Amino acid sequence: MANSSNSLKATTKAEPAANDAANETISDQELEWKQKITDKLLDVLDLSLIESIGEEKARIEIREVVNRLLAEESAPLSLRQRQSVIKLIEDDVMGLGPLEPLLADKTVSDILVNGYDTIYVERRGLLERTNLRFSDHRHLMNTIDRIVSAVGRRIDESSPMVDARLKDGSRVNAVIPPLALDGAMLSIRRFAVERLDMEKLVEFGTATPEVAKVLSAVVHGRLNVLVSGGTGAGKTTLLNIMSGYIPAVERILTIEDSAELQLQQPHVVRLETRPANVEGKGEVTARDLVRNGLRMRPERIIIGEVRGGEALDMLQAMNTGHDGSLTTIHANTPRDALGRVENMVSMTGIQFPTKALRAQIASAINVVVQVARLEDGKRKIVSVQEINGMEGEIITMSEIFSYQREGMDENNNVIGELRSTGIVPGFYRELQRKGIDIPIELFGQ
């Protein structure tokens, strides 16, 4: 995830050319000549041979042929317009058309296409509209089809929604008519080019040195962690960073809908779900993978996100020797996160007494880390809570660190600080017994 400083998404300075291209208006005349020359290019160039000669050579050949065709047609274009048309055609043939300059811009964290003529991006946590556009609906549909077919997925009227990923790991979601009433919709969640670590999060202000040390100890001590947050809050990024604390000698199993985790350990087994085929068969769910994964002798299980019945299997795994597991969930507060886990277990159709189910949740999950994206676009760890156990039918929790918000400054940046609450968690003694020494001063004592 790429974003501004003080956030879970890393930012590096974008190349000026990428930003300029994203903000430059493409005229109807350029689009008209782009389509005209593209049609002629298909007649004179064997595109099926492009992959065999390599991307760099293919781009050079495309530029030369397009230049020649523009000269033959005596196109009434300025030098800048000619260069624009050549770039448009080159990006169409070799990449994802008008999305290419946005994918090259490291400040862009999300690309949102609302129909062929409207493209928004997120930079530094804030949305802005670009001047880029696709030629027409067909152009957008061809680009979507290119993305999804590259990962063995399909999208058409009978299957008008799809999740996929780009070569760099960026998440892609597409919805087409008849479900999308105003034309095809495409959403791309960028994949972090720069691998983040906890030191970067502390530098950005997302976490504090105290929280970083505690989370490191929690993972080393094999406590089960649930990372909770809203859409775009940085859950997967934090999960990825925390997984870096897992010792290299352990066998790690990852289960994801779309592979994003970048684990650096040598012994990692990566599994990915699969949607149903054209006949509605062949679907492999996260729950199927969790069940099968338990037979693969994992020492740690990392689930990219729990969304359904796999929550039950995850709880059972956490309670039966697979401690030190990590996962994420969509929720606005740590308490809501536990409620969502409870609801997901009910999706399995298995009826549990409320108290028994909550007792299993309280026993399985040790720590809940809440992340949030604030109004200024910055990502923050806003709460770290320990699950203590049960009181009656209620799961009891203790907040160890809490983000204290104090207001907004003149630049509309949120003013606040992540502070310890003064509560020493119950796992402090447990970690000490395991030989993991963390200063009690981290908790404000």
Side-chain angles (χ1 to χ4, degrees):
M1 292 188 240
N3 206 334
S4 65
S5 62
N6 298 320
S7 76
L8 283 182
K9 295 185 177 181
T11 295
T12 54
K13 187 174 180 181
E15 298 174 7
N19 269 324
D20 291 345
N23 294 318
E24 190 175 285
T25 301
I26 300 170
S27 67
D28 290 337
Q29 184 184 22
E30 290 169 48
L31 289 174
E32 180 183 339
W33 276 99
K34 175 238 171 187
Q35 189 58 53
K36 187 174 183 179
I37 298 300
T38 299
D39 293 339
K40 290 184 174 296
L41 179 70
L42 297 176
D43 293 333
V44 300
L45 196 64
D46 188 352
L47 298 183
S48 64
L49 299 177
I50 281 181
E51 290 185 5
S52 63
I53 65 174
E55 182 174 346
E56 188 175 344
K57 288 184 178 179
R59 286 182 179 273
I60 292 173
E61 185 168 343
I62 290 169
R63 285 196 290 268
E64 291 175 350
V65 174
V66 172
N67 248 324
R68 189 179 77 244
L69 292 174
L70 285 171
E72 290 174 359
E73 294 293 322
S74 301
L77 301 171
S78 67
L79 177 60
R80 188 204 64 79
Q81 288 176 317
R82 281 174 178 264
Q83 291 173 338
S84 175
V85 170
I86 292 171
K87 186 69 168 65
L88 288 172
I89 295 174
E90 183 184 331
D91 286 343
D92 258 2
V93 175
M94 298 302 300
L96 301 180
L99 301 184
E100 284 298 309
L102 300 178
L103 294 169
D105 186 347
K106 296 181 178 65
T107 66
V108 172
S109 56
D110 290 271
I111 302 171
L112 308 171
V113 181
N114 301 344
Y116 74 89
D117 57 352
T118 307
I119 301 177
Y120 283 87
V121 296
E122 181 189 275
R123 286 190 178 96
R124 301 171 182 89
L126 302 175
L127 288 176
E128 58 184 72
R129 184 170 179 173
T130 72
N131 293 322
L132 299 172
R133 52 172 289 187
F134 288 86
S135 302
D136 49 32
H137 176 69
R138 180 184 174 189
H139 185 199
L140 172 56
M141 287 297 298
N142 287 341
T143 301
I144 292 174
D145 189 61
R146 180 180 297 182
I147 293 172
V148 301
S149 60
V151 292
R153 308 270 169 108
R154 53 181 279 275
I155 188 166
D156 52 37
E157 287 191 5
S158 63
S159 180
M161 294 188 298
V162 71
D163 285 314
R165 66 177 183 275
L166 301 182
K167 290 180 181 178
D168 66 357
S170 298
R171 281 184 287 180
V172 177
N173 177 267
V175 184
I176 65 172
L179 298 188
L181 301 181
D182 300 317
M185 303 291 167
L186 178 66
S187 304
I188 300 177
R189 303 289 307 280
R190 295 295 305 283
F191 191 73
V193 176
E194 176 187 355
R195 178 173 164 80
L196 293 180
D197 55 25
M198 194 61 78
E199 289 181 4
K200 283 284 188 183
L201 296 196
V202 173
E203 179 186 329
F204 294 160
T206 299
T208 63
E210 293 78 16
V211 169
K213 289 177 183 176
V214 170
L215 294 183
S216 171
V218 161
V219 177
H220 277 111
R222 301 186 66 90
L223 300 183
N224 294 320
V225 180
L226 179 65
V227 178
S228 168
T231 300
K235 300 183 298 297
T236 303
T237 300
L238 182 58
L239 182 71
N240 206 39
I241 291 170
M242 292 179 66
S243 69
Y245 292 125
I246 299 174
V249 296
E250 296 188 21
R251 177 176 169 87
I252 306 168
L253 173 70
T254 69
I255 296 171
E256 302 174 83
D257 282 330
S258 182
E260 294 178 272
L261 295 173
Q262 297 173 285
L263 274 66
Q264 302 301 302
Q265 292 87 339
H267 200 166
V268 178
V269 179
R270 304 170 70 218
L271 302 180
E272 186 178 57
T273 61
R274 186 178 70 182
N277 60 19
V278 182
E279 292 79 25
K281 300 177 180 179
E283 180 183 18
V284 180
T285 66
R287 189 174 189 194
D288 296 329
L289 294 180
V290 172
R291 285 173 165 177
N292 186 77
L294 295 176
R295 304 186 184 104
M296 300 174 71
R297 199 202 166 276
E299 292 178 282
R300 305 260 191 163
I301 299 175
I302 301 177
I303 299 181
E305 182 179 339
V306 288
R307 291 190 174 95
E310 67 272 12
L312 173 60
D313 301 281
M314 184 67 184
L315 291 177
Q316 291 175 337
M318 289 176 169
N319 275 320
T320 55
H322 295 89
D323 46 354
S325 297
L326 309 170
T327 189
T328 73
I329 194 169
H330 273 277
N332 294 325
T333 68
R335 176 66 62 181
D336 288 347
L338 301 185
R340 288 213 65 211
V341 171
E342 191 175 332
N343 290 338
M344 289 175 185
V345 171
S346 68
M347 293 169 62
T348 63
I350 303 173
Q351 299 298 317
F352 288 93
T354 300
K355 185 174 181 179
L357 175 56
R358 290 178 180 172
Q360 187 168 1
I361 293 173
S363 174
I365 302 171
N366 304 114
V367 178
V368 182
V369 181
Q370 185 72 33
V371 293
R373 181 171 63 172
L374 307 182
E375 295 94 317
D376 55 9
K378 296 169 185 172
R379 275 79 172 171
K380 301 282 186 182
I381 293 176
V382 295
S383 181
V384 179
Q385 299 198 22
E386 178 187 34
I387 296 180
N388 305 117
M390 295 281 294
E391 283 189 7
E393 292 191 359
I394 305 299
I395 299 174
T396 58
M397 306 174 73
S398 297
E399 190 164 35
I400 307 165
F401 294 95
S402 175
Y403 186 78
Q404 303 298 317
R405 181 170 173 155
E406 298 170 1
M408 307 278 286
D409 65 14
E410 63 277 6
N411 297 318
N412 291 321
N413 293 314
V414 175
I415 302 173
E417 185 181 2
L418 184 61
R419 303 171 185 161
S420 69
T421 61
I423 296 174
V424 178
F427 62 69
Y428 173 73
R429 298 296 179 194
E430 181 182 345
L431 294 179
Q432 280 195 321
R433 288 193 294 271
K434 292 180 177 180
I436 301 170
D437 188 28
I438 52 176
I440 197 169
E441 293 77 22
L442 296 179
F443 306 106
Q445 295 298 310

